Amino acid sequence: MSMEAFLHKKRGILLAYDQGLEHGPTDFDERNVDPAFVMNLAVTGRFNGIVFQKGLAEKYYDGRLPLVLKVNGKTNLVKGEPLARQNCSVQLAAKIGAKAVGYTIYTGSAHESIMLEEFGRVQEEAHRLKMAAIAWVYPRGEAVKNDTAPEIVAYAARTGLEVGADAVKIKYTGDVESFKWAVKSAGKTKVFMSGGPKAPTELDFLKQVRGALDAGATGLAVGRNVWQSSDPLRMARALRKLVIENRSVEESLQA
Amino acid sequence: MSMEAFLHKKRGILLAYDQGLEHGPTDFDERNVDPAFVMNLAVTGRFNGIVFQKGLAEKYYDGRLPLVLKVNGKTNLVKGEPLARQNCSVQLAAKIGAKAVGYTIYTGSAHESIMLEEFGRVQEEAHRLKMAAIAWVYPRGEAVKNDTAPEIVAYAARTGLEVGADAVKIKYTGDVESFKWAVKSAGKTKVFMSGGPKAPTELDFLKQVRGALDAGATGLAVGRNVWQSSDPLRMARALRKLVIENRSVEESLQA
Amino acid sequence: MSMEAFLHKKRGILLAYDQGLEHGPTDFDERNVDPAFVMNLAVTGRFNGIVFQKGLAEKYYDGRLPLVLKVNGKTNLVKGEPLARQNCSVQLAAKIGAKAVGYTIYTGSAHESIMLEEFGRVQEEAHRLKMAAIAWVYPRGEAVKNDTAPEIVAYAARTGLEVGADAVKIKYTGDVESFKWAVKSAGKTKVFMSGGPKAPTELDFLKQVRGALDAGATGLAVGRNVWQSSDPLRMARALRKLVIENRSVEESLQA
Amino acid sequence: MSMEAFLHKKRGILLAYDQGLEHGPTDFDERNVDPAFVMNLAVTGRFNGIVFQKGLAEKYYDGRLPLVLKVNGKTNLVKGEPLARQNCSVQLAAKIGAKAVGYTIYTGSAHESIMLEEFGRVQEEAHRLKMAAIAWVYPRGEAVKNDTAPEIVAYAARTGLEVGADAVKIKYTGDVESFKWAVKSAGKTKVFMSGGPKAPTELDFLKQVRGALDAGATGLAVGRNVWQSSDPLRMARALRKLVIENRSVEESLQA
Amino acid sequence: MSMEAFLHKKRGILLAYDQGLEHGPTDFDERNVDPAFVMNLAVTGRFNGIVFQKGLAEKYYDGRLPLVLKVNGKTNLVKGEPLARQNCSVQLAAKIGAKAVGYTIYTGSAHESIMLEEFGRVQEEAHRLKMAAIAWVYPRGEAVKNDTAPEIVAYAARTGLEVGADAVKIKYTGDVESFKWAVKSAGKTKVFMSGGPKAPTELDFLKQVRGALDAGATGLAVGRNVWQSSDPLRMARALRKLVIENRSVEESLQA
């Protein structure tokens, strides 16, 4: 029931690779479209965990690092209020060998109550099967003008805590001070910063991560900023320096 | 199946702390954002029970006072007709050690029937597991212009009785006479006044509570008026005097 | 599985008291707001059964007369197409000692199919547990301009028969001839006239009941015309004369 | 799992009497409003089966001829896209002694998918309990301008085959040639022509039935054209001649 | 759990015949309207598998070639956002002897989440019963202007992989290069090109199939281009040459 499996020196970097369902292959190139490439990258880049949907887990996961099985998802082709229902049983996740399940809650969506209910069941079942439950909390909908606004991010973090997530994945607010409040709001629920779309430069990205860590984040879940990088392993090394070894952005970039 | 665990001299004060999901951390400051602070406050303030969502209960509840586990909830980011579905099983509530489960019914909402049905199941399951079932009844929607209007509050109270709640949490009408009618309408279902947003002064708040008690209420569920107070323990003491010792507002404030 | 428990000389008068959920305490006064008062009235007035929602049954029912447990209901605060879902399990009804369950079907509502389905399950489960299933059939919605129109009332009666109700509660059409058709349409399903809002005079009300009986009704379910009466026991006596002893309106009023 | 029980010389005539729910007693007169009358008529008229909703089956069916238990239905008071959910369990149908269950699918309705799913379960359960599954397929909705158009009727027939119905009840197209195509489209699923509203003359009706039979139909399900007839037994005799003995319309009318 | 049963020399051609439900008999002529004709054609044409809905499988499938049982479907009479729910249990598919189940997911539909959830359950159950799970992925709705656009087809292919399909059926993009990307996006999930409506000439159709194969497709699911052909067996022979023997379009046409 804990995030221990994904942590080293109390920090963790998850390699996220659920974009194939969420955004489609438009995020990929000839190399990273191949889940085997990303699986290998996760191992050689010494990530603390990898995030797969059921299909990738069944066909590509080989146990060389801990697995987060994402048990809901949706395409970006659907318009209107977002809703992602559970598409993988928690039992199957356990059978595949996952150490955690992931579930996205779109708070603010007209369908929020369905996802809160479903996460509730997923979380309990995961705990019974000795897996952690990680909530991706993404505020959406009419009342959410800006989903990186400090109060919205802090609300997302707190939602993760209230609903019983062992870890919550949230967007970065843009500055250390406001993200501190989000981390504080999450209490004992560990905060993972969402990597988001590829940043203009590596420096930009690492600065964001540094900010999140300085604010108290446990780590991050990163996808595009690694596997869209021209040198993913270099990026992986830099992130390890930054997150696990807790070095400065400059030291990390020189790694 | 009774509220006994939460009562002292037939009165009870519950410390409510489910605002993190319902309103977000915007209700909190650096101190009360920490559930451990509120958990301690509940103990040192000698409250008769504490109200947590599942996540807080799992991570912060330690058994030093009786627990009400709130098994549904929603964020305030969702627009439209309110709906909060069950996000915690009654079995888990029992396993955590709760003495009661709480459930919000938004009567008047287009989704009312879903919540009435779900509360029905929750209530029966809670009773089977020897826990009380407390209904938060909040009238909403088109037909509800003013949710503290006497006839609306009395309807909420009666709804609690009709659906089998052991206790019902309702808003104060503003005066003793009209609240008496609400208490009478609730019959053998115990009435807890909802603390609501922080009152302009402590005097204002205590007068409301006094009114509710004089009208026959069993007690109150209070959150912001305690943990947003500059001196929460003083407020706790005053409330104990007022509610449990049944003193006047003036005596209680001098406590 | 039969209505026997509620009949005397093949006739029956049920004291209905589910208005607390359906209309709120606005129907009540200081006296009849108390379910204990109505429970006693049912006994002393020698009614053949009493109708309670789950909450009242659990807290006030003591077995002195047969119980109809109403297992669905809604508030009148909700706008739009009516829907009342099951809020009490049939098992609980049996455990409380009910001899019948009651369920409202709003035919004509956009949600009709949900209620027809749910009644189907409730009816089968009730029969398995040796209880009768009584349908409150209330036509509503766009196509229903006048819910006491003869063809609408007859349709309601027939719906009760078709869906397997042991008894059906319907509104009075206003005259004997047209109500005869409704009773005939109900076949072997026993017809109980719905008492409705308090009539202008006792005479008016008893004439309606007499009409329903002359048309073949088995009895009536009456609430407000009894417990809103200035002398409920006198009204109860009159109804017994009229319904059970099958006397004229005049004889009954002199009782 | 076959229709054998309902066939004589490979033909069958079902007496349909589910109009009480579908249309209300407006279809009935003083005589045929009584299910016992129709039950007797089915026996004395030597029909091959009778179609009842659950309520009629429980209270009037006595086993003298095979029963089709209709397990869904709706009133005609509901506006909007048609939906009829299951209101009787397949187990109960078996317990009552039905040899088949009937279920209406409104293809083209916005709720089509609910009915296709539900029929799927009903069909499998019926087969497990050794009953046939008969689909009433009625195309409706925006795309269906004319529900007796040849391509629409053939689509209905084919739908019955595709979803696994043992027999499908469809409307007549109006001519032999086009109905042949519908029968062919239904493959091994037996086609029963829907009797529909009372035809202007007996001759008109029998000509339609003759056309359906000449096109390959197995028989028909007829209600109003029999029990609304001034001489139902004469009509029954004529239909037997026509359908079972395979005589001409003229011979049959002289019967 | 694999597609082995449907492959020869690692290629496969499935004869699709679920159009009776999806489009109605308008796709058929006097010959191919008969499932027995198509069943025979599948055997004599040496197809690697046949695709049936439940009803056809129960009444016409005889085990002479492997079966894909399509477990959801809808008519084309329904307007609005597409939704096809499961109408056949996976257990029944296994009992009938299917080697795979098929399920259509309309990504982009407002009901996408229902189908993703349902496919998730179907896939797990199929694997438990040792059957493959094939996803028909058809992007639809507002955001999908052109469902053969390369990025849309690649997204469909990837969706099949992400949700755990053993094979995915997708439309052809129109050229080899862009379809290569779709095939690559599908990873270890085998790609079957959707035959689609009858092409203007056999040459046109075979060129498309050749393109799909050259792009890496495992095979195709073809219906109308075979059974609407004037010489279905000749078409079958040509397809075998092309797909299984991996010959050129010209060689295949001369077969």
Side-chain angles (χ1 to χ4, degrees), chain E residues 121-134:
Chain E
R121 283 200 304 265
V122 163
Q123 184 252 21
E124 296 186 22
E125 208 170 344
H127 286 180
R128 275 197 296 274
L129 298 174
K130 309 295 179 200
M131 290 183 283
I134 308 178

Side-chain angles (χ1 to χ4, degrees), chain C residues 20-253:
Chain C
L21 181 57
E22 300 292 337
H23 311 145
T26 188
D27 275 8
F28 302 144
D29 60 22
E30 291 286 332
R31 194 175 57 165
N32 59 38
V33 71
D34 181 6
F37 169 80
V38 177
M39 182 68 205
N40 280 325
L41 172 57
V43 175
T44 53
R46 299 173 62 206
F47 285 86
N48 301 98
I50 190 163
V51 182
F52 277 155
Q53 280 276 341
K54 173 209 266 194
L56 301 192
E58 289 184 321
K59 292 194 171 59
Y60 296 92
Y61 178 66
D62 58 16
R64 287 182 289 163
L65 82 169
L67 171 67
V68 178
L69 192 34
K70 191 81 194 312
V71 297
N72 73 339
K74 62 175 201 58
T75 73
N76 68 8
L77 300 172
V78 190
K79 299 303 160 203
E81 298 288 298
L83 171 58
R85 293 177 193 261
Q86 190 181 352
N87 59 27
C88 175
S89 73
V90 178
Q91 291 91 332
L92 184 62
K95 199 182 146 198
I96 293 173
K99 290 277 183 280
V101 292
Y103 187 99
T104 304
I105 303 169
Y106 295 105
T107 53
S109 162
H111 306 298
E112 178 195 282
S113 72
I114 295 174
M115 291 173 281
L116 286 177
E117 181 186 44
E118 208 160 83
F119 179 77
R121 284 200 304 266
V122 164
Q123 184 252 22
E124 297 187 21
E125 209 169 344
H127 287 180
R128 274 197 297 274
L129 297 174
K130 309 294 177 201
M131 289 183 284
I134 308 179
W136 272 231
V137 183
Y138 292 155
R140 294 281 168 91
E142 218 183 301
V144 182
K145 304 304 177 203
N146 173 7
D147 70 351
T148 57
E151 69 277 14
I152 291 292
V153 172
Y155 202 166
R158 183 68 179 204
T159 298
L161 170 61
E162 297 277 340
V163 301
D166 298 292
V168 65
K169 184 172 167 242
I170 53 175
K171 292 199 173 178
Y172 187 54
T173 52
D175 68 283
V176 177
E177 273 321 297
S178 62
F179 205 67
K180 256 186 196 163
W181 180 237
V183 172
K184 201 153 199 174
S185 295
K188 294 186 183 176
T189 293
K190 293 182 196 316
V191 171
F192 282 72
M193 181 192 128
S194 175
K198 193 153 183 297
T201 70
E202 293 188 353
L203 183 66
D204 289 327
F205 180 62
L206 293 182
K207 275 179 174 169
Q208 286 180 31
V209 178
R210 188 67 257 165
L213 294 169
D214 290 345
T218 291
L220 81 157
V222 60
R224 289 165 281 179
N225 277 290
V226 168
W227 40 255
Q228 286 181 356
S229 161
S230 55
D231 187 348
L233 282 175
R234 203 177 78 91
M235 192 47 149
R237 271 194 310 273
L239 281 169
R240 279 192 67 79
K241 275 272 168 64
L242 192 78
V243 178
I244 309 295
E245 307 300 335
N246 210 20
R247 303 285 179 81
S248 70
V249 169
E250 292 68 27
E251 289 172 305
S252 302
L253 269 175

Side-chain angles (χ1 to χ4, degrees), chain A residues 17 20-25 28-30 33 35 53-56 58-60 73-79 83 85-89 92 118, chain E residues 107-110 112-114 116-117 120 123-124 127 139 142-144 152 154-155 158-159 161-166 181 184-185 187-189:
Chain A
Y17 190 60
L21 181 58
E22 299 292 338
H23 312 143
F28 302 143
D29 61 22
E30 290 287 332
V33 71
Q53 281 276 341
K54 172 208 266 195
L56 300 191
E58 289 184 320
K59 291 192 171 61
Y60 296 92
K74 63 175 200 57
T75 73
N76 68 10
L77 300 173
V78 189
K79 299 303 161 204
L83 171 59
R85 292 177 194 261
Q86 189 181 354
N87 59 27
C88 175
S89 73
L92 183 62
E118 206 160 84
Chain E
T107 53
S109 162
E112 178 195 283
S113 73
I114 295 175
L116 286 176
E117 181 187 44
Q123 184 252 21
E124 296 186 22
H127 286 180
E142 220 184 301
V144 181
I152 291 292
Y155 201 165
R158 184 68 179 205
T159 299
L161 171 61
E162 297 277 342
V163 300
D166 299 290
W181 179 237
K184 202 153 196 173
S185 296
K188 293 186 184 177
T189 293

Side-chain angles (χ1 to χ4, degrees), chain D residues 95-118:
Chain D
K95 200 182 145 199
I96 293 174
K99 290 278 182 279
V101 292
Y103 186 98
T104 304
I105 303 169
Y106 295 104
T107 54
S109 161
H111 307 297
E112 178 194 283
S113 73
I114 295 174
M115 290 173 281
L116 286 176
E117 182 186 45
E118 207 161 83

